[in-house]
Amino acid sequence: MPTSAETAATTTHDADWWRQAAVYQIYPRSFADASGDGIGDIKGITSKVPYLKALGIDAVWLSPFYPSALADGGYDVDDYRNVDPRLGTLEDFDEMVGALHEAGIKVIADIVPNHTSDRHEWFTEALASPKGSAARNRYIFRDGLGANGELPPNDWTSIFGGGAWERVTEPDGTPGQWYFHLFAKEQPDLNWDNPEVHEDFLATLRFWSDRGVDGFRVDVAHGLKKDMDAELPSLETIHRADLFKDGEHPLWDRDEVHTIYAEWRKVFNEYNPPRTAVAEAWVHADRRARYASPEGLGQAFNFDLLQADFDADVFRAIITKNLAEAAATGASSTWVFSNHDVVRHATRYGLPKGTGRRGGGPDGTDWLLEGGDPAKVDAARGLRRAKAATLLMLALPGSAYLYQGEELGLQEVGQIPDEDRQDPTFFRNKGVEVGRDGCRVPLPWEATPAAGSSFGFGANGAHLPQPEWFAGYAASVQADDEGSTLAFYRRALALRHELQGAEALGWQDSADDDVLHFVRPGGWHVVANFGTTPVELPAGEVLLASSDVEGGKLPGEATAWVRAAR
Ligand code: GLC
């Protein structure tokens, strides 16, 4: 057996490490709090490296850790080349990267190029500078309409609700121009037609790459290039579906955006191994491959499974399409069920169909909007299905993204008092969306029952309140329990390493419509039963199952990995 240092050394120069990596997303402010101020920090992450190593992941993706007023959970960045002082220092960051690398774990940083925060020095300068100045030209400023410019330039709305334009006060104290923000008003959009913006981001990519960051997750990758020069169309016009299909939308997924990523790729390839990137691009499925091209970012998130119902046909169609798409570009596919923007999948799968997603179900119902009562979630069923889906995902060719806490089987926190909520979606959109705080509640590390305890997250409470029932999910309780969700994830990730070979998958016929069966090279069979009737497994050794296999039969809502009998 190679030692961990040897493993790290041999994998360091493997340019393909990302292709089938299991990537664990850390939301730093909610992971582990070493300083005891209620907010997770970099030293907290370093303290959990042994846990991450034992879990068996290949890489961590860190959501933003940059200085920020937290108007959008850190996706409002004040300074791209620094660490939030509440989270630590650059030295702490270096120490964390060193510890992760020593454990054989790669580091992916989140990069937020669509917008800065309104506290970024560029924006401060823009506000202090006159209309038409170079400082304003780093952002998207326009004159307002109406006799005195008192109306916004058009009726576009922000993703988080409300208008997409904010009026500024000019340096002389008079009401002035408007700036554009796709997200919160604290997140002014950058002008990617300005070469200075390009140069600055190249410097940021080099800054973190030089510090040992192995890859980047690119926030809102499909939004950077905008057509704002022409007459601005109305909101109604930009909702036309055909605009999203052919790159004609003024805001989203324009063809020119790829010129940016071609520049980035040159920087990535200056390093050995080349730095990697994955695009967060909510685009028409036919256009996603452009982001994943080897001349661009190399990989793009596919959120199809995350948005799908627990259904064999739906899963099969999604898997087939995405593997074909990845093969066409030479990328590998990505798979994900949970992240910091959506209701945790152990909860989604325990809710009546269509009620657990942001925005609600087709009949208008939404569990979160209706109070997020845990009693309305069939948590046992949700977790059973989540484990089945995850075991299926971990057997697919491509990289698998896991979100902190899912390895504990953690449920979404639906009930958070209004005064504790932090997500701008809640404030800008109250009544239409509750927001994403429920999946961002700090992790329970220990089952400490004391009132006011943060379940081992830190010494002094947690920045989002943890419910009492978190005790039952604590990592310390699960660590030594062979039957726990944590033990299941560890086993699955270890086996995945052992079994993984070429990126191929062969579908096998199945007599039951609710059953998916495929085989990976080396005789690794994967059977997923989406129905409720037990099914026969192929002959061989059951390596792992998400629910107990009895008499050779896989129960309903379960997945098994089987090594075929020779
Ligand atoms: C991405 C992030 C989300 C953030 C938004 C604006 O969608 O995942 O958390 O609010 O971009 O930066």
Side-chain angles (χ1 to χ4, degrees):
M1 281 285 286
T3 65
S4 64
E6 280 161 2
T7 311
T10 49
T11 53
T12 303
H13 294 289
D14 174 9
D16 285 337
W17 68 265
W18 51 278
R19 297 192 66 90
Q20 299 200 75
V23 184
Y24 181 87
Q25 182 189 356
I26 291 181
Y27 194 74
R29 290 177 179 82
S30 300
F31 188 65
D33 170 22
S35 71
D37 64 354
I39 302 172
D41 44 39
I42 302 290
K43 279 190 185 297
I45 298 172
T46 309
S47 74
K48 298 297 182 194
V49 169
Y51 173 86
L52 296 168
K53 187 174 179 191
L55 183 57
I57 44 128
D58 303 299
V60 290
W61 147 30
L62 305 171
S63 275
F65 46 78
Y66 313 107
S68 166
L70 303 184
D72 180 22
Y75 284 89
D76 46 321
V77 180
D78 295 353
D79 177 357
Y80 290 88
R81 303 199 275 270
N82 213 335
V83 173
D84 187 335
R86 284 169 293 191
L87 270 61
T89 61
L90 280 169
E91 288 67 39
D92 296 339
F93 183 87
D94 294 342
E95 192 193 351
M96 174 196 70
V97 172
L100 286 163
H101 281 170
E102 178 70 18
I105 299 171
K106 305 277 188 198
V107 181
I108 297 173
D110 211 316
I111 197 96
V112 189
N114 181 68
H115 41 264
T116 70
S117 91
D118 61 349
R119 307 196 315 175
H120 190 284
E121 62 174 11
W122 275 4
F123 197 69
T124 312
E125 198 186 330
L127 290 185
S129 305
K131 175 177 161 176
S133 58
R136 287 216 173 168
N137 192 37
R138 295 177 183 130
Y139 293 91
I140 303 172
F141 277 86
R142 286 188 78 124
D143 291 335
L145 305 178
N148 301 305
E150 71 280 10
L151 299 173
N154 76 349
D155 62 350
W156 290 349
T157 49
S158 113
I159 304 287
F160 293 152
W165 297 93
E166 188 71 16
R167 195 170 195 189
V168 303
T169 303
E170 297 296 345
D172 65 5
T174 57
Q177 286 195 293
W178 297 71
Y179 68 86
F180 182 68
H181 58 93
L182 270 173
F183 294 89
K185 72 172 171 34
E186 295 85 356
Q187 294 166 296
D189 280 49
L190 284 164
N191 171 15
W192 275 92
D193 290 336
N194 184 336
E196 203 186 342
V197 174
H198 287 240
E199 286 309 314
D200 197 67
F201 272 87
L202 297 180
T204 294
L205 296 175
R206 286 199 176 95
F207 179 87
W208 294 111
S209 299
D210 289 345
R211 290 196 109 86
V213 162
D214 303 282
F216 298 91
R217 178 262 187 191
V218 185
D219 191 62
V220 198
H222 56 313
L224 274 45
K225 279 285 193 177
K226 301 172 180 87
D227 180 13
M228 306 284 276
D229 292 336
E231 186 76 10
L232 298 178
S234 67
L235 185 64
E236 195 186 341
T237 315
I238 64 167
H239 279 170
R240 269 183 21 218
D242 57 315
L243 292 179
F244 290 90
K245 257 190 115 164
D246 54 11
E248 293 300 315
H249 197 284
L251 299 176
W252 298 114
D253 189 28
R254 295 185 63 77
D255 292 344
E256 310 91 86
V257 80
H258 300 291
T259 59
I260 299 172
Y261 303 131
E263 290 173 1
W264 290 21
R265 173 51 57 190
K266 287 197 188 120
V267 172
F268 298 152
N269 288 351
E270 287 166 9
Y271 292 86
N272 181 17
R275 296 330 189 210
T276 66
V278 57
E280 186 215 22
W282 296 84
V283 297
H284 193 278
D286 297 348
R287 295 178 57 87
R288 188 159 53 217
R290 297 165 182 237
Y291 293 83
S293 103
E295 290 80 38
L297 295 176
Q299 226 184 10
F301 272 120
N302 116 50
F303 294 114
D304 300 349
L305 284 184
L306 178 151
Q307 298 178 90
D309 285 324
F310 187 79
D311 179 288
D313 284 344
V314 175
F315 268 54
R316 181 174 171 139
I318 289 172
I319 293 166
T320 307
K321 180 173 79 64
N322 280 286
L323 290 180
E325 213 174 80
T329 58
S332 72
S333 197
T334 61
W335 310 104
V336 56
F337 286 112
S338 282
N339 63 33
H340 66 297
D341 288 331
V342 297
V343 170
R344 287 182 177 279
H345 66 298
T347 302
R348 286 200 315 263
Y349 288 149
L351 286 163
K353 214 170 173 173
T355 62
R357 266 177 257 146
R358 287 174 60 192
D363 55 356
T365 55
D366 181 320
W367 166 73
L368 278 178
L369 278 178
E370 289 176 348
D373 181 357
K376 290 190 179 159
V377 183
D378 184 342
R381 183 178 208 204
L383 181 56
R384 185 166 69 238
R385 290 171 151 199
K387 285 170 68 179
T390 299
L391 198 59
L392 169 59
M393 167 175 96
L394 290 175
L396 293 172
S399 49
Y401 283 77
L402 308 169
Y403 178 54
Q404 66 176 39
E406 70 169 82
E407 78 280 15
L408 304 175
L410 207 59
Q411 295 278 333
E412 184 85 2
V413 182
Q415 296 175 322
I416 296 177
D418 284 4
E419 61 273 21
D420 289 325
R421 289 210 176 264
Q422 299 177 11
D423 187 354
T425 320
F426 174 73
F427 301 109
R428 296 183 65 90
N429 226 342
K430 209 171 165 180
V432 182
E433 280 199 41
V434 174
R436 304 160 292 177
D437 295 316
C439 61
R440 300 174 179 181
V441 175
L443 292 190
W445 292 98
E446 290 160 19
T448 36
S453 114
S454 66
F455 300 107
F457 166 68
N460 281 304
H463 67 98
L464 274 169
Q466 299 158 303
E468 292 283 307
W469 50 261
F470 258 38
Y473 292 88
S476 64
V477 176
Q478 298 194 36
D480 300 320
D481 174 0
E482 273 305 301
S484 68
T485 306
L486 179 57
F488 167 76
Y489 266 75
R490 286 178 177 169
R491 181 98 186 99
L493 288 161
L495 269 172
R496 174 181 157 97
H497 265 266
E498 264 174 46
L499 298 169
Q500 226 164 34
E503 292 170 44
L505 174 153
W507 289 109
Q508 307 292 297
D509 286 339
S510 159
D512 187 330
D513 289 347
D514 283 330
V515 175
L516 296 186
H517 180 183
F518 60 82
V519 63
R520 295 283 308 273
W524 172 16
H525 283 254
V526 179
V527 181
N529 182 2
F530 288 77
T532 47
T533 319
V535 294
E536 207 69 48
L537 282 171
E541 180 195 355
V542 177
L543 300 170
L544 184 63
S546 62
S547 297
D548 289 344
V549 170
E550 276 167 29
K553 289 202 162 183
L554 180 68
E557 306 187 324
T559 296
W561 292 357
V562 178
R563 198 195 317 262
R566 290 180 194 269

